[in-house]
Amino acid sequence: MKKVLLALSLILLTGCNNKEFKEAYENMNIGDNIESYQLDLRIYGNIDNKSISEMYKIDNYKNQKYKIDTFDLTYYFIDGKMYEKNETLEETKYNETEENIFYDTNIILEGLNNITSKKEIENDIKGKELKVYEVKLKDDYIKELLNKLGYTNSYNEASGKVYLENNNAYKVIYIIDELNVNGTFFRINNISDININKIF
């Protein structure tokens, strides 16, 4: 009997609990119902013996075109190429660059598909009706996320928080050792087609 109860408990902690997160992922995933959104991504803390403070505001149009604002510069990822925006008094130029600028907003969402356990907690964002969970994430996902962000994939502990609004992902926080990866989703289906004139 104890074994049966243990098995049922494990099922509740894994498969059944993940249904809500998978639904939120599907609701936000670029496809038939969603063609665009903006991700406000803040990364801060310490990793690789380095102090990190990075900001990305990324417009994702159909998982094909991206506008990436950082603290200092604006980039565009279009047709598999990265362009840096340069403005002068007379004109704006978009120069192709080999810089490895983060743009893959979907890897942030993918955390919703890689949750191993959850615990509902109190909403700590005033003025919004949200369901909030403390979560644990799969090791392979954390390593892939760190690689995509350009960091080492070696870590000791990882946890997270997920904020859901009307069955959509509103905010995710991944805490990896001393690194905090904090992403908030805005402007759903409110990003125009992203086009640039490539002036070299």
Side-chain angles (χ1 to χ4, degrees):
M1 184 66 179
K2 288 182 179 179
K3 290 182 179 179
V4 172
L5 291 174
L6 178 60
L8 288 173
S9 298
L10 289 172
I11 290 171
L12 290 172
L13 283 171
T14 55
C16 292
N17 276 355
N18 289 343
K19 182 178 179 181
E20 189 173 20
F21 298 123
K22 291 184 183 298
E23 181 180 356
Y25 173 82
E26 291 299 328
N27 288 343
M28 287 294 299
N29 191 32
I30 301 291
D32 294 335
N33 298 318
I34 300 292
E35 70 171 18
S36 66
Y37 58 74
Q38 182 180 84
L39 171 66
D40 188 310
L41 182 64
R42 310 296 172 102
I43 306 172
Y44 53 90
N46 295 283
I47 194 168
D48 298 340
N49 296 315
K50 296 177 182 177
S51 179
I52 303 295
S53 179
E54 297 183 350
M55 181 280 291
Y56 301 89
K57 188 172 287 185
I58 306 171
D59 292 351
N60 179 338
Y61 183 75
K62 295 186 175 181
N63 276 345
Q64 298 171 1
K65 300 179 180 181
Y66 302 83
K67 177 186 176 186
I68 308 110
D69 286 313
T70 67
F71 279 125
D72 303 315
L73 296 168
T74 298
Y75 299 87
Y76 294 82
F77 188 75
I78 298 175
D79 297 331
K81 296 181 179 180
M82 186 70 70
Y83 299 91
E84 180 183 318
K85 182 179 180 180
N86 293 289
E87 293 183 302
T88 67
L89 294 175
E90 298 179 352
E91 62 182 344
T92 300
K93 293 184 178 181
Y94 301 91
N95 298 320
E96 188 173 345
T97 177
E98 296 296 323
E99 285 193 68
N100 186 21
I101 306 299
F102 177 78
Y103 68 90
D104 186 359
T105 61
N106 193 62
I107 190 64
I108 305 299
L109 273 179
E110 276 289 343
L112 298 173
N113 286 334
N114 288 276
I115 291 170
T116 59
S117 67
K118 75 173 185 179
K119 175 186 176 183
E120 187 166 2
I121 60 174
E122 184 177 350
N123 178 20
D124 56 0
I125 298 180
K126 294 182 179 179
K128 278 197 166 289
E129 294 186 10
L130 303 169
K131 294 182 74 174
V132 187
Y133 298 93
E134 285 183 349
V135 299
K136 296 292 185 182
L137 299 124
K138 293 179 181 177
D139 179 65
D140 287 347
Y141 168 73
I142 294 296
K143 289 181 177 179
E144 182 182 7
L145 174 62
L146 289 171
N147 278 333
K148 290 277 182 83
L149 292 172
Y151 307 129
T152 179
N153 64 7
S154 176
Y155 73 98
N156 295 313
E157 295 182 336
S159 61
K161 290 170 70 175
V162 174
Y163 297 74
L164 301 181
E165 181 179 35
N166 299 323
N167 298 321
N168 287 339
Y170 172 71
K171 184 185 187 75
V172 295
I173 300 173
Y174 305 134
I175 301 169
I176 308 165
D177 290 340
E178 297 180 356
L179 188 72
N180 189 306
V181 180
N182 188 321
T184 308
F185 296 89
F186 298 103
R187 299 179 62 196
I188 299 171
N189 278 339
N190 199 25
I191 304 294
S192 300
D193 192 0
I194 298 171
N195 291 301
I196 62 173
N197 295 317
K198 297 186 281 292
I199 304 173
F200 301 97

